């Protein structure tokens, strides 16, 4: 039997359920783990007396709890993310971080000769944070100085970055960064947030590559350019617990009015191109998940700006100050 690549903590979940008075349990998974949900649900039901309901809604992070399902269940197990700084749901929601069992040693050793600087910042997602000290030892033995930064209150572990928060990367001075994991968005965000070189060490393909933020910067510059003549803006907010930034939306609306522009606040749960299709504005401003404007670029019926880009359009900031939008803590 193939060894499980991720730890879904089934025994812990069964123990929590058995020790509770729960009768109905909810499971919520990000897209990459959804295919595992039927087997996990079946095992929980076989080993306990509860009924399981699996969330079929998209899940983009710990900020994106299925609040509708939460009202229907006694316990909710949220997979793939670490808890954010909101403790109001601690008694009902359990965050199953789903750590990776992948060996990172070989790919970190492969990255060593590609690192140009001496002081290296180590960063990753929650799936690999337990391997950062091992990676640090490898870098130290290769003559590098290793730093693992502490993020703000939204960051659960040293060295951890989210798709909307790169504070751990900015907390320590270093020459460049080594990101352990797969995907492009997190290391790209670090590169744009810090202005430093970022190498990706992907343990799943045993490959090393350097991220290039130039394509994203060209895309974002094009979105800004298309919005320069806009006079009517739709400021989008999400009702998701960890994404709702109503105060920011109100601030941006006031800023638009200061520049004699029209701005309307649009509230919804899931923000998609289809949801916005009927709103006839010159440009949108996204205050929901920061990834939306970048991941869905070109799919909206009007340019989708980040709050920082909106300020550039209004002349409040310079183009050179373009950075990724983030949802930060204290």
């Amino acid at each position: 039997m193939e060894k499980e690549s991720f730890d879904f903590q089934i025994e812990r979940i069964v123990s929590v359920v058995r020790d509770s008075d729960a009768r109905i349990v909810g499971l919520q998974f990000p897209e990459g783990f959804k295919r595992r949900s039927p087997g996990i649900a079946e095992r929980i039901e076989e080993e306990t007396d509860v009924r399981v309901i699996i969330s079929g809604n998209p899940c983009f992070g710990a900020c994106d709890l299925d609040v509708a399902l939460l009202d229907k269940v006694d316990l909710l197990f949220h997979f793939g993310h670490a808890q954010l700084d909101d403790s109001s749901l601690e008694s009902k929601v359990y965050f199953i971080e789903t750590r990776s069992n992948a060996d990172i040693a070989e790919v970190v050793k492969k990255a060593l000769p590609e690192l140009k600087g001496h002081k290296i910042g180590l960063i990753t997602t929650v799936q690999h944070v337990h391997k950062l000290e091992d990676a640090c030892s490898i870098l130290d033995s290769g003559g590098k100085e290793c730093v693992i930064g502490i993020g703000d209150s939204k960051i659960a572990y040293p060295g951890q970055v989210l798709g909307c928060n790169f504070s751990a990367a900015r907390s320590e001075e270093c020459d460049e960064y080594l990101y352990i994991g797969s995907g492009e968005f997190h290391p790209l965000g670090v590169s744009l947030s810090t202005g430093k070189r970022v190498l990706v060490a992907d343990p799943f393909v045993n490959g090393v590559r350097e991220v290039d933020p130039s394509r994203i910067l060209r895309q974002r510059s094009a979105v800004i350019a298309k919005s320069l003549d806009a006079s009517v803006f739709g400021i989008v907010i999400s009702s998701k617990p960890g994404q709702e930034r109503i105060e920011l939306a109100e601030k941006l609306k006031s800023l638009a009015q200061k520049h004699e522009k029209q701005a309307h606040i649009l509230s919804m749960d899931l923000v998609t191109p289809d949801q916005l299709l009927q709103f006839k504005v010159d440009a949108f401003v996204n205050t929901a998940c920061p990834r939306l404007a970048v991941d869905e670029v070109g799919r909206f019926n009007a340019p989708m700006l980040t709050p920082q880009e909106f300020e550039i359009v209004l002349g409040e900031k310079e183009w050179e100050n373009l950075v990724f939008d983030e949802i930060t803590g204290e």
Side-chain angles (χ1 to χ4, degrees), residues 122-125 129 132 147-151 155 157-161 168-169 179:
L122 273 180
I123 47 174
T124 188
T125 61
V129 288
L132 286 185
V147 294
I148 303 175
I150 306 295
I155 300 301
Y157 300 99
Q160 180 194 1
V161 291
Y179 172 81

Side-chain angles (χ1 to χ4, degrees), residues 15 31 49 51-52 83-84 88 101 105 110 120 143 163 166 174 217 220 223 236 244 267 280-281 286 313 324 328:
S15 177
E31 302 310 298
D49 295 325
R51 289 187 294 120
V52 173
Q83 183 172 343
L84 293 175
S88 62
N101 297 319
K110 183 178 285 190
I120 310 300
F166 312 107
C174 61
L217 287 171
R220 302 320 305 163
V223 171
V236 180
E244 187 174 23
S267 176
K280 301 306 178 185
V281 299
N286 175 53
V313 166
F324 264 22
T328 57

Side-chain angles (χ1 to χ4, degrees), residues 83-101:
Q83 183 172 343
L84 293 175
D85 53 355
D86 182 6
S87 61
S88 62
L89 300 171
E90 278 184 353
S91 62
K92 198 170 181 179
V93 180
Y94 287 82
F95 289 84
I96 308 300
E97 295 174 355
T98 324
R99 301 285 181 90
S100 170
N101 297 319

Side-chain angles (χ1 to χ4, degrees), residues 38 52 60 63 66 85 92 121 127 150 181 251 256 266 279 290 303 328:
V52 173
F60 300 103
C63 61
D66 190 332
D85 53 355
K92 198 170 181 179
Q127 271 69 51
I150 306 295
K251 174 187 172 185
L266 313 174
F279 294 102
T328 57

Side-chain angles (χ1 to χ4, degrees), residues 2 48 57 63 73 123 177 199 213 244 248 262 272 285 294 324:
E2 183 181 355
T48 68
N57 288 325
C63 61
V73 300
I123 47 174
Y177 295 89
L199 279 187
E244 187 174 23
L248 173 60
Q262 288 186 45
T272 68
V285 184
V294 178
F324 264 22

Side-chain angles (χ1 to χ4, degrees), residues 263-276:
H264 307 283
I265 294 177
L266 313 174
S267 176
M268 59 199 70
D269 178 54
L270 181 63
V271 182
T272 68
D274 287 343
Q275 286 286 94
L276 295 176

Side-chain angles (χ1 to χ4, degrees), residues 29-55:
F29 298 83
E31 302 310 298
F33 291 146
K34 273 192 169 72
R35 63 184 179 83
R36 300 300 312 274
S37 59
I40 293 172
E42 182 179 16
R43 182 171 169 188
I44 293 171
E45 289 185 331
E46 285 177 350
E47 298 189 27
T48 68
D49 295 325
V50 300
R51 289 187 294 120
V52 173
I53 301 176
I54 302 168
S55 172

Side-chain angles (χ1 to χ4, degrees), residues 235-236 245 248-249 252 255 284-288 290 293 304-314 317 323-326:
I235 301 175
V236 180
R245 293 189 280 175
L248 173 60
L252 295 175
L255 201 58
F284 294 105
V285 184
N286 175 53
T287 70
M304 175 68 84
L305 298 160
T306 68
Q308 295 82 0
E309 292 165 355
F310 181 54
E311 291 184 278
I312 292 173
V313 166
L314 294 180
K317 286 186 176 180
V323 295
F324 264 22
D325 182 27
E326 296 185 54

